[in-house]
Amino acid sequence: MGIIQTLFNKRDNLFITYANLKSLPCVPCYEEVDRKPGNPDSFENLHAKTKQLYPRNFEGAYLLLKKSLSQHFNVTYKMTLSSVTPHGLMFGVNYLGTKRVGLSERYPVISGEVTPGGNMSAKKYKAFSTGLEYRSDDCTVAMTLANPDFFRGHGTIVLHYLQAITPRTTLGTEIAYLRGSRIAGGRQTMMCAAFRHSTGPTTLSATIGEAGIHVCYHRQASKQLQLGVEIETNTRIHESIGTIAYRVDIPYADFVFRGFVNSETTVGAVFEKKLYPIPEALLVISGLLNHRKHQFRVGIGLNIG
């Protein structure tokens, strides 16, 4: 049914009727295009939203000074006072190579530390694993080979596959094959299925396999508040742990607060506050309380640089 419109201003003007509208140009209608769900990211980031809410607790006090001399070379000075972790003074040197794997990983990596007692340690990290990953518009396939020893036939092969069914739903699987002298029977195969459903504000992810069940739920309650729930069950030792984590961001105050509480009666939180006018200065306060073990640990730190 069309729209009939009549305009009449003067006697000499003509009527505009539905019949005259047929000669007007038509607006083209756009056909619906099949939208692909999008890449589901890597298998390691399946529970990333919930894991990022956890605080990094520590005990004692520390002062960390970091100076970047170039894009690949930096030095650090750290003074630590603690009755639990190793304490003292440390001077470190770090070098990041020019070769890059992905957006954030570089190699080779060389680091060294010197303590006031004259102890010097140096570490050079070289690749002991290799991986291949393929990403398409709606799936990710990855293979990782770790600690290979072709002469003795030892090593670990892990296969990951994630498929985006819809823009919100992702399914996948993980297959790990281990072979070595320390493994019962000389070889072992583990499998698990993965699931993730995300609507934007909420994300539900889970992995179910022979080793157990791991379920995470993330909720963006507001711009300042994020909530997460994690339940991890190990079927081999018959143990389950439930954790509630949260994060509070107050941008205008440069304040970040992370905390968690789990079923083992452990409560932890970390407070982070930027300090002005010192550039790149961060005050960190940590608190960890275990009611069952009657342990309470407090830490305070200052990062500069």
Side-chain angles (χ1 to χ4, degrees):
M1 190 66 183
I3 299 176
I4 301 177
Q5 183 179 6
T6 303
L7 300 177
F8 181 77
N9 294 329
K10 297 181 180 180
R11 294 183 178 179
D12 296 336
N13 290 354
L14 299 176
F15 290 95
I16 301 178
T17 61
Y18 176 75
N20 296 330
L21 291 176
K22 292 183 179 180
S23 61
L24 297 177
C26 296
V27 178
C29 297
Y30 295 96
E31 297 181 357
E32 294 184 359
V33 180
D34 294 334
R35 296 183 178 179
K36 295 185 178 181
N39 185 266
D41 205 351
S42 61
F43 196 94
E44 289 78 8
N45 296 331
L46 192 69
H47 307 295
K49 286 191 174 182
T50 303
K51 291 294 186 180
Q52 291 174 357
L53 301 180
Y54 280 81
R56 296 182 179 179
N57 294 96
F58 60 95
E59 193 271 342
Y62 76 86
L63 172 64
L64 177 62
L65 303 176
K66 184 177 180 180
K67 177 65 176 178
S68 297
L69 303 179
S70 67
Q71 186 178 2
H72 307 281
F73 188 75
N74 63 74
V75 295
T76 59
Y77 174 82
K78 186 175 183 180
M79 179 178 64
T80 306
L81 301 174
S82 174
S83 59
V84 179
T85 59
H87 60 277
L89 302 176
M90 183 272 295
F91 175 78
V93 179
N94 299 311
Y95 172 78
L96 298 178
T98 57
K99 297 182 180 180
R100 182 184 294 270
V101 179
L103 299 177
S104 59
E105 183 178 356
R106 296 179 180 177
Y107 71 95
V109 178
I110 302 175
S111 66
E113 296 180 357
V114 179
T115 63
N119 298 325
M120 181 177 65
S121 62
K123 297 179 181 179
K124 181 178 181 180
Y125 301 90
K126 58 182 180 179
F128 60 92
S129 66
T130 181
L132 178 65
E133 185 177 89
Y134 171 76
R135 296 190 180 190
S136 68
D137 295 334
D138 58 355
C139 73
T140 298
V141 182
M143 181 185 68
T144 303
L145 177 63
N147 299 325
D149 189 344
F150 299 101
F151 296 99
R152 295 188 299 175
H154 293 176
T156 302
I157 300 178
V158 182
L159 299 176
H160 290 152
Y161 178 73
L162 281 180
Q163 175 67 54
I165 307 301
T166 67
R168 296 184 175 183
T169 305
T170 299
L171 299 178
T173 184
E174 179 188 47
I175 302 175
Y177 177 76
L178 298 82
R179 187 169 181 175
S181 58
R182 298 182 179 180
I183 302 176
R187 63 186 65 183
Q188 185 180 7
T189 303
M190 295 183 296
M191 301 178 60
C192 74
F195 166 80
R196 183 178 62 201
H197 181 76
S198 178
T199 62
T202 61
T203 300
L204 175 64
S205 57
T207 54
I208 303 174
E210 301 175 3
I213 302 175
H214 189 187
V215 180
C216 291
Y217 175 78
H218 175 270
R219 171 72 179 181
Q220 183 77 41
S222 64
K223 293 182 179 180
Q224 292 79 28
L225 178 61
Q226 300 181 52
L227 299 173
V229 179
E230 181 180 20
I231 300 176
E232 192 169 4
T233 302
N234 193 323
T235 56
R236 296 182 178 179
I237 61 177
H238 305 285
E239 183 181 38
S240 296
I241 299 177
T243 307
I244 299 176
Y246 55 92
R247 170 172 174 166
V248 179
D249 291 85
I250 304 179
Y252 62 85
D254 290 323
F255 168 87
V256 177
F257 184 83
R258 294 182 177 92
F260 78 95
V261 56
N262 61 20
S263 57
E264 294 185 333
T265 68
T266 301
V267 181
V270 170
F271 164 93
E272 298 178 2
K273 177 70 173 66
K274 289 185 178 181
L275 303 179
Y276 293 101
I278 306 175
E280 299 182 358
L282 185 68
L283 175 65
V284 184
I285 299 176
S286 170
L288 184 65
L289 173 62
N290 190 315
H291 292 84
R292 182 180 301 175
K293 298 180 180 180
H294 303 285
Q295 294 179 352
F296 180 62
R297 296 176 180 176
V298 179
I300 181 171
L302 179 62
N303 300 338
I304 301 178

